[in-house]
Amino acid sequence: MNCQKFESIVGELARGRIIGADIRQDALVHTGDCPRCALRFRNEDMLTRALQMLALETESAQAPNRIEGHLLQAFREQKLLQPVYLVNGRLRYWVSAAAAVLLIVASVIAIRWRTERPVAQPATFAVGHTEGRVPEKLPVAIDRLRGPTDNVVKYLPTSRKPGRRSESFVAKARSTETQKKANGVAANNVTGEIATEFMPLGYLNAANLQDGGQMVRVALPRSAMASFGLPVNMDRYNETVKADVLLGVDGVAHAIRFVQ
Amino acid sequence: MKAKSDFSDSELLRSMLAGDEEALALLYRRRQAGVFRFALQMCGSPAVAEDITQEVFMFLMRQGRAFDPTRGSVNAFLMGVARNYVLRRLYGEQFLIPLADDFEEDSVLEHSDADHGPLENLMRAETIETVRRAVLSLPERYREVVVLCELQDMSYVEAAEILGCAIGTIRSRLHRARALLVEKLKTEGEENTNAATVKSARCFA
């Protein structure tokens, strides 16, 4: 037997574990030949005896009786809740599953509601705005709409008065329907207003509108329409035109549409 | 019909989970010593070992259904839970773990007085304390193997079941742990010798 082989079995040898008789004999013979391995064996043997002493020392150690009392008391208290514990596994599974489904449904509803809200808001805001209430002089340059809320002019309080809608605008809308569609203009049949498509002011990310926003009715000089490539009647160049500005929750104007 | 004391651990556990208090008491009395000793030898503190023993059986009461007989015995399950609690303590509350304890000293004296003479008792107590310190100073992965295989006299198979590793791993860890222990004990012995030499020199000076 060489030293390497001896090293691999010295622990078992010292611990008196079952190893082959011939291997054991070889190992003991090797300790007679090799002083280093003999010392190694002596150390292992001493360690084994020391560990046995320690094991013997703690052999009788056990937890104090009061712990058993505590456990039994806790067990009795738990038994009072046994109906819950008995069905613990299955009930917990089904409750978790139901909760997960409810959470998903609630999330879907919430997401839909939030995404639909910006669509619903224009109707709310646009419906009640009356031409009579639009201040005559609100000369706001379109560039100013690109800034934060304080730059974005005035908010007109809504009051639903469909009877006061402008007949002339409705008549115009009926007569030039095909032309309007070509220009991307939409008619609101409820209020009789005609509105262009929303045009983005700067960079418009749809995600910015996911958190909601606010529609503000403003009055602008007609010259502002030219900035968006819309035709302007030069005879009415100095008049004002109504517009809906879509503000994000951060107060920044995101889009604008012109209304007649 | 056999008496409850003849029930196997699995049967007792089943009865306990069905609400049988006596089954819990029997199972506790049967297995608490092993759990307590393991925790004590791993942590070195009887107070911590008591806490861990209680937590292990509380866990068994609450989560006993998690026991899977195909994966091992109830004892291995309990020791595995105890090991988790011990490791949590060792990592989280190291400052609460003393190296020596009054409880241990008392028990050493009790045990040694009965069997040996005073000088032998003293040397024996010293040896035990030295080995205890050396075991407690081992890294956890070596310490738990020494505790299970050497101090609790478990087989490699049982230790592997508790620690959730291969038998070869247990064997190699134990080999390494013993080598570390020999080194530590040798170092400590040399330190003691040096200290004695210094004292002698002062006396003669």
Side-chain angles (χ1 to χ4, degrees):
Chain A
M1 179 176 284
N2 57 22
C3 294
Q4 191 179 0
K5 183 79 190 300
F6 180 83
E7 179 63 31
S8 67
I9 63 160
V10 65
E12 306 294 320
L13 191 67
R15 294 171 72 212
R17 296 282 160 165
I18 300 167
I19 51 174
D22 50 341
I23 299 174
R24 183 182 177 80
Q25 187 60 36
D26 283 351
L28 291 175
V29 168
H30 180 73
T31 56
D33 299 338
C34 176
R36 186 186 159 279
C37 289
L39 179 63
R40 179 91 176 87
F41 178 62
R42 271 203 303 278
N43 285 337
E44 286 284 339
D45 193 40
M46 282 175 62
L47 175 66
T48 301
R49 274 187 273 134
L51 286 169
Q52 281 170 352
M53 285 165 73
L54 180 60
L56 194 66
E57 187 58 37
T58 51
E59 194 178 30
S60 58
Q62 56 182 353
N65 291 333
R66 66 172 183 278
I67 291 181
E68 184 178 344
H70 293 163
L71 284 169
L72 293 177
Q73 190 182 346
F75 187 76
R76 283 180 215 120
E77 286 168 9
Q78 183 185 302
K79 252 169 84 173
L80 296 175
L81 303 171
Q82 198 64 32
V84 177
Y85 279 91
L86 274 175
V87 290
N88 202 3
R90 283 186 178 279
L91 181 69
R92 186 176 294 177
Y93 173 79
W94 287 112
V95 167
S96 304
V101 169
L102 280 176
L103 194 65
I104 291 168
V105 169
S107 304
V108 168
I109 290 171
I111 289 169
R112 283 196 162 193
W113 180 73
R114 298 190 89 168
T115 52
E116 283 173 3
R117 200 168 56 166
V119 178
Q121 269 187 345
T124 313
F125 279 96
V127 162
H129 294 170
T130 56
E131 287 75 21
R133 291 194 171 197
V134 178
E136 284 297 319
K137 293 184 179 177
L138 284 174
V140 180
I142 201 67
D143 287 337
R144 294 183 63 191
L145 289 174
R146 297 169 198 264
T149 321
D150 52 354
N151 290 336
V152 184
V153 280
K154 310 249 177 177
Y155 168 69
L156 300 178
T158 58
S159 60
R160 194 180 179 89
K161 293 178 182 175
R164 298 181 64 183
R165 64 181 178 233
S166 170
E167 293 297 328
S168 60
F169 286 151
V170 175
K172 272 188 181 176
R174 283 175 190 156
S175 63
T176 59
E177 193 165 347
T178 50
Q179 187 185 348
K180 280 179 280 173
K181 280 186 180 173
N183 293 336
V185 176
N188 186 332
N189 293 329
V190 179
T191 61
E193 287 182 335
I194 306 160
T196 65
E197 293 291 328
F198 272 103
M199 288 169 282
L201 294 172
Y203 173 69
L204 175 64
N205 186 355
N208 293 340
L209 302 175
Q210 290 293 315
D211 297 328
Q214 197 174 19
M215 182 81 72
V216 179
R217 173 65 56 87
V218 297
L220 301 169
R222 282 187 174 273
S223 58
M225 294 173 71
S227 306
F228 292 92
L230 298 175
V232 181
N233 185 348
M234 295 309 289
D235 296 337
R236 302 170 66 191
Y237 189 80
N238 292 327
E239 292 179 13
T240 58
V241 62
K242 287 185 290 180
D244 290 332
V245 179
L246 189 59
L247 303 175
V249 285
D250 51 358
V252 176
H254 290 295
I256 187 171
R257 71 175 179 186
F258 293 94
V259 181
Q260 279 189 328
Chain B
M1 189 177 171
K2 63 180 177 181
K4 273 186 186 163
S5 56
D6 298 333
F7 276 15
S8 69
D9 287 351
S10 302
E11 289 170 327
L12 285 177
L13 179 61
R14 262 200 303 278
S15 299
M16 186 200 87
L17 292 173
D20 187 352
E21 186 179 316
E22 192 189 348
L24 168 66
L26 283 170
L27 188 58
Y28 173 79
R29 284 173 207 150
R30 198 181 284 178
R31 294 296 168 199
Q32 57 87 16
V35 172
F36 180 79
R37 275 203 305 274
F38 175 75
L40 178 65
Q41 287 158 348
M42 282 295 288
C43 299
S45 163
V48 174
E50 284 173 22
D51 282 354
I52 288 173
T53 306
Q54 185 166 319
E55 283 166 2
V56 167
F57 282 90
M58 288 295 284
F59 178 89
L60 190 70
M61 280 160 48
R62 292 196 200 99
Q63 308 286 331
R65 287 172 205 284
F67 168 67
D68 180 2
T70 61
R71 294 178 61 187
S73 63
V74 172
N75 188 40
F77 179 71
L78 287 172
M79 297 296 273
V81 175
R83 178 188 175 236
N84 288 338
Y85 277 112
V86 165
L87 292 180
R88 200 178 296 176
R89 289 278 182 141
L90 290 176
Y91 288 129
E93 302 174 9
Q94 291 180 7
F95 56 92
L96 290 177
I97 299 165
L99 286 172
D101 205 286
D102 295 341
F103 172 85
E104 295 303 324
E105 284 168 13
D106 290 348
S107 62
V108 167
L109 291 175
E110 271 174 29
H111 197 279
S112 50
D113 282 347
D115 299 340
H116 308 286
L119 185 62
E120 203 175 339
N121 284 342
L122 198 63
M123 286 177 66
R124 191 170 180 277
E126 196 178 333
T127 306
I128 288 171
E129 193 50 41
T130 307
V131 177
R132 191 201 314 279
R133 276 204 304 270
V135 170
L136 286 172
S137 68
L138 285 174
E140 285 85 13
R141 65 179 182 279
Y142 296 128
R143 197 189 314 168
E144 58 194 12
V145 177
V146 168
V147 167
L148 291 175
C149 295
E150 298 284 0
L151 303 182
Q152 303 244 0
D153 206 25
M154 286 186 180
S155 67
Y156 292 154
V157 177
E158 289 170 312
E161 200 175 279
I162 291 168
L163 302 180
C165 58
I167 293 172
T169 308
I170 299 290
R171 198 189 297 271
S172 63
R173 280 188 190 172
L174 186 61
H175 186 80
R176 176 73 183 134
R178 287 180 65 95
L180 284 172
L181 281 175
V182 168
E183 284 300 314
K184 283 176 190 293
L185 293 176
K186 208 190 289 180
T187 310
E188 191 146 329
E190 282 168 7
E191 279 173 8
N192 289 342
T193 310
N194 291 341
T197 310
V198 170
K199 277 179 191 169
S200 301
R202 278 183 188 165
C203 289
F204 286 118

